[in-house]
């Protein structure tokens, strides 16, 4: 792998942002999710063959729970655009507000709950396997 490929791979990994989410909402429906952009990485970074980079806008309605899930194969980073949401990781609870970010890496096992009366809007960027 040449120096440019190594630097590009490191840049992509540094910018990674949320894995595919399993959803349990109060109504039993999936969350509104809009794919903002997605493309294969192998032409950009050969070492990332069979992976895409994906950016999504996810709306978590008030009162919605996202069941526990893991990110062992799809690392990412999440940015909270508006609203607030509670993240549960192990025995820790964290309230995320507008402007907060979180990393979802190989060790991440977590769930969320939007306990507020307003929708929460997230931007998630991750590296899913190519479909």
């Amino acid at each position: 792998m040449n120096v440019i490929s190594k630097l590009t791979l490191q840049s992509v990994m540094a910018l990674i942002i949320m894995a595919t989410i399993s959803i349990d909402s109060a109504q039993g429906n999936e969350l509104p999710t809009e794919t903002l952009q997605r493309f294969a990485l192998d032409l950009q970074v050969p070492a990332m063959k069979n992976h895409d980079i994906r950016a999504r806008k996810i709306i978590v309605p008030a009162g919605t729970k996202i069941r526990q899930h893991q990110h062992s194969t799809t690392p990412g980073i999440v940015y909270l655009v508006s609203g607030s949401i509670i993240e549960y990781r192990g025995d820790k609870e964290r309230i995320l507000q507008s402007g907060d970010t979180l990393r979802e890496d190989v060790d991440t096992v977590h769930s969320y709950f939007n306990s507020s009366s307003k929708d929460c809007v997230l931007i998630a960027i991750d590296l899913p396997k190519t479909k």
Side-chain angles (χ1 to χ4, degrees), residues 16-106:
I16 298 173
I17 302 182
M18 172 178 177
T20 304
I21 297 177
S22 300
I23 305 301
D24 277 338
S25 71
Q27 300 78 27
N29 300 319
E30 288 195 13
L31 297 180
T33 302
E34 174 186 354
T35 298
L36 303 174
Q37 191 68 248
R38 182 177 180 145
F39 62 90
L41 283 173
D42 61 344
L43 296 176
Q44 311 296 318
V45 185
M48 294 301 296
K49 184 177 180 181
N50 300 321
H51 284 82
D52 293 347
I53 187 166
R54 173 178 63 181
R56 296 177 295 153
K57 176 181 173 183
I58 301 171
I59 300 171
V60 184
T64 299
K65 295 178 185 178
I66 300 175
R67 72 174 172 225
Q68 184 171 295
H69 59 281
Q70 49 84 23
H71 295 270
S72 63
T73 61
T74 309
I77 297 172
V78 176
Y79 173 74
L80 194 76
V81 176
S82 63
S84 64
I85 198 163
I86 303 168
E87 179 199 30
Y88 302 94
R89 281 191 196 214
D91 60 354
K92 295 183 181 174
E93 180 179 310
R94 176 177 157 194
I95 299 174
L96 301 164
Q97 306 283 341
S98 295
D100 287 342
T101 61
L102 66 120
R103 181 177 70 190
E104 298 175 322
D105 60 19
V106 69

